[in-house]
Amino acid sequence: STLTTEEIRAQECQKQFRARPVPDLSYKPTSISKNSTPRQVTTPITLKILERLANKPPPAPSNEDDGSKESKFKARPLPKTTFVGPIQSPSYSGSASTPLTVPRPPRLSTGDRTEKRQAVAEAPRLSTGDRTEKRQAVAE
């Protein structure tokens, strides 16, 4: 009852492989059997909606009074907080002549950076100048 994998493979190799046949999908026209009874031809049903529309009386001319009988659309009011302006203190005079904010020109830092860069660039020159002076002094 316990078979090794080699024995199982040997049994599988002994079995013959049989493929299932492919179904015949070719077109075959349906044949009418001799015993079948012919079907009755269907007759179209006439819809009576056209007759109803023709017999319906035309709508009465509308007057302005008819609109008052129907309910008119009435929107709900907006919340009070939606379009209320900013909270203003009682000390605010509200004069439009004074601006609320005073614009200041922008402060650029390029001038400061230029000065620092020039100082850093000149420092090696000064240090090399000091060295040459010391060399000359030592040489004399």
Side-chain angles (χ1 to χ4, degrees):
S1 66
T2 56
L3 301 174
T4 61
T5 56
E6 295 176 6
E7 292 174 352
I8 293 172
R9 287 183 185 169
Q11 286 180 358
E12 288 178 359
C13 290
Q14 290 174 359
K15 294 179 184 177
Q16 292 276 332
F17 176 75
R18 293 185 187 173
R20 293 184 183 176
V22 178
D24 185 20
L25 299 175
S26 62
Y27 174 73
K28 294 178 183 174
T30 57
S31 61
I32 299 173
S33 64
K34 296 177 184 178
N35 297 336
S36 67
T37 58
R39 294 187 180 185
Q40 296 178 352
V41 178
T42 57
T43 57
I45 301 171
T46 58
L47 299 176
K48 297 180 181 180
I49 191 164
L50 296 176
E51 295 173 8
R52 281 189 234 152
L53 289 175
N55 295 337
K56 186 176 181 181
S62 62
N63 294 334
E64 294 177 14
D65 297 335
D66 293 340
S68 64
K69 292 179 184 177
E70 297 176 10
S71 63
K72 291 186 178 181
F73 174 74
K74 194 169 187 180
R76 290 186 292 172
L78 285 173
K80 292 181 180 179
T81 58
T82 303
F83 287 112
V84 175
I87 300 172
Q88 298 174 356
S89 65
S91 63
Y92 177 70
S93 63
S95 63
S97 62
T98 59
L100 296 177
T101 57
V102 179
R104 293 185 295 178
R107 183 175 154 231
L108 302 176
S109 62
T110 55
D112 296 338
R113 288 191 308 219
T114 305
E115 291 173 6
K116 289 179 183 177
R117 189 187 70 224
Q118 288 175 349
V120 169
E122 291 177 4
R125 291 181 197 161
L126 295 176
S127 65
T128 55
D130 293 340
R131 289 179 193 162
T132 53
E133 290 175 5
K134 289 179 183 177
R135 287 180 190 166
Q136 290 172 357
V138 171
E140 294 175 355

